[in-house]
DNA sequence: CAGTTTTTGAGGTACGTAAATCAGAAATTC
DNA sequence: GAATTTCTGATTTACGTACCTCAAAAACTG
């Protein structure tokens, strides 16, 4: 049988109360006694029954998700997934809350993080913006002892506990490799549409893409990066313009979430030879475009998996349990029209 | 606050004991009383606290995994993942057990399933073989009220509760699409190496592959399928032979688990132009071959995800809870050398 | 050594459910 | 209407942990 607190007490020759004091870090235990108890815990291989503990505490995990109020399908989908988790959350003793912030706005994110410190939830997940003040705010949240998970876009050197999202450099490399192979390896011109170079995920994708192109497909020329701020109208205008100015474009890599604008532009502009298009995030728009051949490949991160992973990780951190690294690795899905789910 | 059994009792005007009788299907409750209690449950939106219930029952979930004692990397990896889950299982009130059976042996699988009926675990997961007697055995397990999950290979029309594995037709289609695009769309000859056409997943992969080639890449000619029985030596010999007989081969699709032999053959035979190679399952061998350029793409199913998914599904079934379909869909991973994890 | 502080023990209640017992009420049968 | 059977209520214990109180023991202080 699994050892319980009673077994620890008996084995260490102390009372239940003392075991409880040691287990929960309460004061009033001599150093030697504490060590005796800890020895018994280690010897018997005791692990706290988290379910029973939560029952006794009648604990509910309060988690806060800070999400940018972006008008793109991916962020909307991410919000939907969090709301889906909220619907299931009461079953798991969780109270998940969403806080919306303006997109690409470091000051607003900092304010939201500072509010979190006051509310002291059991954990926070947020889509990071990579600036020094955000980093400092994260440091304050961490100092308050609140577990932190970055979602979709990371903040590597900051005090976050875990990053839930894809390896964006690998994603960019994959896009570069597919682009090079699909284009057949000759000379060609490629355009890149990003959201903002302020967020790390977009920067990293570009970096991976450019690296592979440089190393493996030197015949490809990459045009200056377009920053569409993940805004449909702006992205459409930028793509229309670049296609007009560079009719020789053979490939487009859309590494942000401005796909609605991109697709509209592609459908408006008539090209002599259709460009090879690789985009990120499978949404209703990119799915349709993939199905009808406007887009050739979509790299995707599964928002549902990310949200569930973030919650699992936050819960584990709140309980002081280890996370299963392999389970929490978010994979890069590659969709062609032939493997659409 | 979440309603408890006490709230139900009060609201229905009955005692706790009666609520318990209704909730757990115990006899001795009049039809009208039962309906009154069920009405209160529905009205208050009561959901049983599974953690508390399991604590009270001091329940442990006994799950049995029936795995073929194959010596290929994938099945070995699958077994490792189950053993990994066993290591964590006591934390979650689970007792997972592995039963090994000889590979491709329907009679042995039937015997294992019938043993399961006697042991009455809380759930079974097994790698299906598609024969009538296995189907009948599954029916007997289901009749005993034991939740059943098929793993990796399905048994669609049988009484299983859930299938944990990839969509093999979509996997084959994806391989066909990548092959067609990587080869540039012109005329070319492609070889296919399978394990056995008697195995359902291999048949489905071939079907998907051939369909896409026929529809989208009519310039590709597919040579007669090689059956390597997932045996390294046989696969190597077959590949050597086919390359010798058809020096014009531009692509090879390996849809089974005979990759070790394939890779050895590719390294021995010197070709004027290297063939495009697409294989299944990321193992130490295929990973190395992908890294050094012998293989161009690997389609993978994540064994760890499959095992964890199977356990989650079995647990949900045992608790009478719904499964989150999106969470349990096993995805087809596509690996190029640029996105190796 | 008396007085003070710190440490420890013993015991209880609670969390939400399961499962059991036993007595009493209600419905059914003869 | 008495005897029997079928329901129902009241109460208790248990699961493993958290958290509280009170008293007693042990360790320090001066």
């Amino acid at each position: 049988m699994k050892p319980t607190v009673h077994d620890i007490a008996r084995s260490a020759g102390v009372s239940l109360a003392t075991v409880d004091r040691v287990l929960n870090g309460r004061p009033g235990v001599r150093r030697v006694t504490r060590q005796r108890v800890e020895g018994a815990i280690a010897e018997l291989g005791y692990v706290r029954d988290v379910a029973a503990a939560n029952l006794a505490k009648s604990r509910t995990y309060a988690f806060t998700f800070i999400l940018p109020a972006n008008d793109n399908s991916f962020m909307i989908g991410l919000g939907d997934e969090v709301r889906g988790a909220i619907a299931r959350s009461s079953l798991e003793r969780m109270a998940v809350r969403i806080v919306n912030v303006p997109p690409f706005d470091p000051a607003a994110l900092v304010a939201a993080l500072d509010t979190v410190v006051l509310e002291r939830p059991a954990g926070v997940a947020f889509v990071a913006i990579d600036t020094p003040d955000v980093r400092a705010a994260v440091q304050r949240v961490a100092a308050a002892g609140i577990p932190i998970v970055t979602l979709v876009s990371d903040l590597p050197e900051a005090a976050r506990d875990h990053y839930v999202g894809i390896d964006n450099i690998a994603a960019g490399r994959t896009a570069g490799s597919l682009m090079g192979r699909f284009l057949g390896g000759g000379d060609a011109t490629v355009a890149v549409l990003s959201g903002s170079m302020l967020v790390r995920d977009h920067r990293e994708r570009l970096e991976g893409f450019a690296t592979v192109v440089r190393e493996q497909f030197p015949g490809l020329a990459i045009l200056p990066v377009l920053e569409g701020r993940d805004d449909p109208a702006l992205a459409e205008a930028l793509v229309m313009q670049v296609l007009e100015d560079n009719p020789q474009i053979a490939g487009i890599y859309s590494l942000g979430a401005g796909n609605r604008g991109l697709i509209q532009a592609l459908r408006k502009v008539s090209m002599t030879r259709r460009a090879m298009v690789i985009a990120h995030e499978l949404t209703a728009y990119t799915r349709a475009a993939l199905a009808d051949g406007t887009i050739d490949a979509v790299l995707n991160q599964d928002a549902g998996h990310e949200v569930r992973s973030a919650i699992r990780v936050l819960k584990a951190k709140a309980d002081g349990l280890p996370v299963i690294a392999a389970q929490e690795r978010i994979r890069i899905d590659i969709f062609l029209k032939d493997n659409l789910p």
Side-chain angles (χ1 to χ4, degrees), chain A residues 191 238-249 252 262 265-266 269 271 275:
Chain A
L238 288 172
V239 173
M240 297 276 283
Q241 189 62 50
V242 81
L243 285 175
E244 204 168 294
D245 295 349
N246 307 271
Q248 82 281 17
I249 282 177
I252 301 176
L262 166 70
L266 288 170
V269 173
M271 281 178 282

Side-chain angles (χ1 to χ4, degrees), chain A residues 178-240:
Chain A
L178 287 176
M179 183 65 81
R181 285 163 182 265
F182 285 180
L183 290 180
D187 286 0
T189 302
V190 174
V192 175
L193 171 66
S194 91
S196 162
M197 286 294 110
L198 250 191
V199 284
R200 191 172 188 100
D201 51 342
H202 290 196
R203 280 210 313 276
E204 290 182 343
R205 288 173 192 175
L206 176 61
E207 179 191 333
F209 185 81
T211 303
V212 165
V213 165
R214 189 177 343 106
E215 289 172 355
Q216 298 176 38
F217 305 99
L220 295 188
I222 303 177
L223 295 175
V225 175
L226 309 171
E227 290 196 46
R229 296 188 64 78
D230 293 357
D231 177 76
L234 179 54
E236 180 178 345
L238 288 172
V239 173
M240 297 276 283

Side-chain angles (χ1 to χ4, degrees), chain A residues 55-96:
Chain A
L55 179 61
K57 276 193 280 210
S58 33
R59 158 174 210 165
T60 51
Y61 301 82
F63 294 139
T64 302
F65 277 70
I66 303 175
L67 302 180
N70 261 352
D71 180 29
N72 67 62
S73 305
F74 176 73
M75 281 301 167
I76 292 171
L78 195 69
D80 288 344
E81 290 292 348
V82 177
R83 276 180 287 278
I86 290 174
R88 289 185 305 272
S89 65
S90 67
L91 287 178
E92 324 254 348
R93 301 196 136 71
M94 298 187 309
V96 179

Side-chain angles (χ1 to χ4, degrees), chain A residues 103-238:
Chain A
F104 304 123
D105 183 343
L109 181 54
V110 166
L113 287 168
D114 283 335
T115 305
V116 157
V117 174
L118 301 177
E119 296 167 342
R120 311 196 70 81
V124 204
F126 72 103
V127 180
I129 301 176
D130 195 355
T131 63
D133 50 343
V134 170
R135 222 168 269 265
V138 168
Q139 182 57 51
R140 290 193 289 277
V141 177
I146 301 170
I148 306 167
V149 161
T150 49
L151 199 59
V152 179
S153 191
D154 195 15
L155 206 53
E157 289 90 32
R160 54 105 176 125
D161 294 283
H162 190 89
Y163 163 59
V164 172
I166 60 171
D167 177 342
N168 285 296
I169 293 180
R173 292 182 62 89
T174 306
S177 184
L178 287 176
M179 183 65 81
R181 285 163 182 265
F182 285 180
L183 290 180
D187 286 0
T189 302
V190 174
V192 175
L193 171 66
S194 91
S196 162
M197 286 294 110
L198 250 191
V199 284
R200 191 172 188 100
D201 51 342
H202 290 196
R203 280 210 313 276
E204 290 182 343
R205 288 173 192 175
L206 176 61
E207 179 191 333
F209 185 81
T211 303
V212 165
V213 165
R214 189 177 343 106
E215 289 172 355
Q216 298 176 38
F217 305 99
L220 295 188
I222 303 177
L223 295 175
V225 175
L226 309 171
E227 290 196 46
R229 296 188 64 78
D230 293 357
D231 177 76
L234 179 54
E236 180 178 345
L238 288 172

